[in-house]
Amino acid sequence: MDKKIASLHYLTQDLPHFSHVEQVKMACESGVEWIQLRVKNSAREEWLQIAKQARSITESYGKILIINDEPLIAKEVHADGVHLGRDDMHWKDARIMLGIDAIIGVSTHSWEELLEVKDAQIDYAGLGPFRFTNTKEKLDAVLGIDGITQITKLLQKYSFSLPVIAIGGITLNDVQELMSKGVKGIAVSSAINATAHPAIAAKAFLEQLKISISKKEAIIT
């Protein structure tokens, strides 16, 4: 399968007025290519049913579906992959369970943690938090733009090829600066989901990323 890592990782979240299934459909209709289903406050059976509906929607639109935290659910619904946190299943076990074609991403919070997965059989690493965020209960030290910059300089210095995705409290105004530092992309939830018009917000992020990537390509050529 094609393991091209998208520049926008859209994350669903538990919201009383906007269900996960509605969020997935909105993202697909808005042109988002990569959707991470992030269900935190539901019993496993409900989680599984949400994931099945999400898989049906993403398949119909030809989009990537990543399951947060739960490799077993990813396997059951035939998702494209899984994103694993520090306290989740080890990536080695997830790789055995899901197979070589599955996309596996992991969360990291420092240069040292990135080094630990430099040669791992994973496909990308999330790096954060960039800023304080209410979407995560146990928040690691905020990196800020200075922390991201220091780490991306080390990525370049040591020819670190694993794609790195910045995550945590990212807003539309952060996109171009973050992308200019050398990250592969960004992960976003509240800056899309908590707006009055999520579809418009999602399209705005896609446009800013398109501009940022065009600038990078212009510099290279």
Side-chain angles (χ1 to χ4, degrees), residues 68-88:
N68 181 267
D69 293 350
E70 293 282 352
L72 281 169
I73 288 180
K75 183 176 183 178
E76 286 185 63
V77 304
H78 306 290
D80 297 289
V82 66
H83 182 91
L84 302 170
R86 180 188 290 137
D87 299 324
D88 299 327

Side-chain angles (χ1 to χ4, degrees), residues 103-115:
I103 297 169
I104 295 180
V106 301
S107 294
T108 64
H109 313 91
S110 65
W111 169 242
E112 289 73 20
E113 289 187 11
L114 276 170
L115 277 180

Side-chain angles (χ1 to χ4, degrees), residues 29-81:
E29 291 176 344
S30 300
V32 174
E33 297 294 331
W34 183 292
I35 296 156
Q36 184 184 135
L37 190 64
R38 191 170 185 269
V39 179
K40 291 294 183 181
N41 297 311
S42 297
R44 189 183 188 282
E45 187 55 37
E46 183 182 2
W47 202 158
L48 179 60
Q49 293 307 313
I50 293 169
K52 286 179 178 178
Q53 293 178 72
R55 173 76 286 191
S56 178
I57 294 167
T58 55
E59 277 191 325
S60 68
Y61 282 90
K63 308 300 186 182
I64 296 292
L65 178 66
I66 303 296
I67 302 296
N68 181 267
D69 293 350
E70 293 282 352
L72 281 169
I73 288 180
K75 183 176 183 178
E76 286 185 63
V77 304
H78 306 290
D80 297 289

